């Protein structure tokens, strides 16, 4: 059914796997569309009460696909991409399931935005997490502004977005970015065990509380997503962004000029 993801259901637990391991699960247009469709399909699925989101291969997700951004023959349509990201973030926040992010390897940029949108974040000790859009002259998208400030508050969120700082799983837990730590190589098993524990709990009440708490924030999230879409489209046309992705490909330090 899908080319870049897997959506599997086992009783009341569903698992969504990002499945572009050859590209460290970086998100191209196809994956963005498929993520939007798969998450939206779960909005009305009352048979599923827990959703685990994880990545295949060496990483959760390295973020947006830089190669797709540089493809001159088939360039990434930023406005179309932002439409998909708005759908992804909105659906993820509204899901009538408890969501668990299972992080191993890198969860960077857009990948980290998706992780932060989950109810429970489990990361392996030496996973690498970063809101690093700033490194290529962009702003966080995929609801990154909203999800990050919900986790750590606005002052800390600004520091993390502006610095693009990289954290190990253990470091991220210390500042509230991660809820649970798993030993390296055991993240998926730990998330599966956590999902089983939830199923054995009065989870209907937990889901109801989630719905009540999130209901007060849906309009705010929508405002953030609209502003992210407009701003990211503008940032994609800046000299700093072009320099940032060029420096990334050439593996050198970028020389930003603030324009």
């Amino acid at each position: 059914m899908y080319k870049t993801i897997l959506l599997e259901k086992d009783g009341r637990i569903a698992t969504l796997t990002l499945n572009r391991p050859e590209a460290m699960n970086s998100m191209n247009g196809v994956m963005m569309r498929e993520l939007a469709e798969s998450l939206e399909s779960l909005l009305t699925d009352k048979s599923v009460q827990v959703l685990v989101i994880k990545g295949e291969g060496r990483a959760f997700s390295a973020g947006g696909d830089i190669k797709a951004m540089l493809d001159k023959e088939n360039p990434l349509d930023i406005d179309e991409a932002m439409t998909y990201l708005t759908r992804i973030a909105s659906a993820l926040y509204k899901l009538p399931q408890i969501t668990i992010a299972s992080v191993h390897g890198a969860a960077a940029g857009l990948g980290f935005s998706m992780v932060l949108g989950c109810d429970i974040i489990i990361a392996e000790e030496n996973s690498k997490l970063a809101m690093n859009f700033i490194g290529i002259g962009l702003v966080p998208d995929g609801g990154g502004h909203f999800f990050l400030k919900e986790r750590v508050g606005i002052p800390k969120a600004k520091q993390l977005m502006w610095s693009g700082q990289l954290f190990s799983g253990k470091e991220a837990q210390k500042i509230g970015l991660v809820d649970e730590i798993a030993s390296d190589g055991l993240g998926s098993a730990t998330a599966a065990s956590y999902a089983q524990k939830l199923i054995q709990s009065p989870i209907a009440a937990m889901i109801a509380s989630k719905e009540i708490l999130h209901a007060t924030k849906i309009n705010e999230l929508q405002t953030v997503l609209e502003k992210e879409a407009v701003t990211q489209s503008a940032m994609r046309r800046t000299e700093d962004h072009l320099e940032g992705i060029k420096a990334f490909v050439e593996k050198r330090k970028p020389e930003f000029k603030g324009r």
Side-chain angles (χ1 to χ4, degrees):
M1 183 176 179
Y2 298 114
K3 294 180 180 179
T4 65
I5 64 172
L6 297 172
L7 181 59
E8 303 164 299
K9 299 176 185 179
D10 182 8
R12 290 183 287 154
I13 300 172
T15 302
L16 176 60
T17 305
L18 310 183
N19 194 29
R20 293 187 74 214
E22 73 286 353
M24 291 185 69
N25 298 318
S26 60
M27 299 186 197
N28 59 8
V30 176
M31 180 180 276
M32 292 176 191
R33 174 176 55 79
E34 292 185 341
L35 282 170
E37 291 173 356
S38 62
L39 290 171
E40 288 170 347
S41 75
L42 291 169
L43 285 170
T44 55
D45 191 341
K46 300 298 184 181
S47 69
V48 174
Q49 292 180 306
V50 178
L51 173 65
V52 177
I53 303 178
K54 64 180 184 177
E56 183 67 29
R58 296 183 294 124
F60 179 88
S61 173
D65 191 337
I66 299 290
K67 290 184 178 179
M69 295 180 190
L70 293 171
D71 189 340
K72 294 182 180 179
E73 295 184 4
N74 186 29
L76 178 71
D77 184 330
I78 185 62
D79 294 324
E80 182 180 58
M82 294 309 298
T83 297
Y84 292 143
L85 297 188
T86 293
R87 289 171 58 191
I88 290 167
S90 180
L92 183 60
Y93 194 64
K94 296 176 183 176
L95 284 178
Q97 294 93 21
I98 304 299
T99 52
I100 303 172
S102 176
V103 181
H104 75 289
L110 179 55
F112 193 30
S113 291
M114 173 169 276
V115 167
L116 291 170
C118 292
D119 300 312
I120 298 157
I121 302 174
I122 299 173
E124 294 186 359
E125 292 181 354
N126 291 302
S127 54
K128 302 297 181 185
L129 305 101
M131 189 62 78
N132 59 350
F133 293 86
I134 197 73
I136 53 172
L138 296 178
V139 298
D141 54 27
H145 289 87
F146 176 85
F147 295 135
L148 185 57
K149 70 93 177 172
E150 285 291 288
R151 275 266 163 184
V152 299
I154 289 176
K156 188 64 176 178
K158 287 189 289 189
Q159 293 176 32
L160 297 178
M161 289 185 291
W162 293 342
S163 70
Q165 187 175 349
L166 180 70
F167 296 94
S168 68
K170 292 178 72 174
E171 290 169 339
Q173 186 189 37
K174 291 179 181 178
I175 62 171
L177 292 172
V178 167
D179 299 305
E180 302 279 342
I181 292 296
S183 299
D184 290 344
L186 296 178
S188 184
T190 302
S193 177
Y194 202 109
Q196 287 294 333
K197 183 174 70 173
L198 287 173
I199 288 297
Q200 294 164 16
S201 304
I203 193 168
M206 298 171 67
I207 292 170
S209 288
K210 169 183 174 176
E211 182 180 359
I212 290 168
L213 291 169
H214 286 208
T216 65
K217 295 281 189 173
I218 289 173
N219 288 340
E220 180 185 343
L221 172 60
Q222 191 60 40
T223 298
V224 169
L225 292 171
E226 290 170 1
K227 289 186 175 295
E228 284 183 352
V230 172
T231 304
Q232 200 71 300
S233 182
M235 291 300 102
R236 280 272 289 167
R237 296 190 292 271
T238 63
E239 291 180 28
D240 278 351
H241 172 61
L242 295 175
E243 166 62 11
I245 57 174
K246 185 177 180 181
F248 178 87
V249 171
E250 295 174 357
K251 298 181 180 180
R252 61 173 174 80
K253 185 177 179 179
E255 297 180 9
F256 295 125
K257 299 179 180 178
R259 59 177 185 263

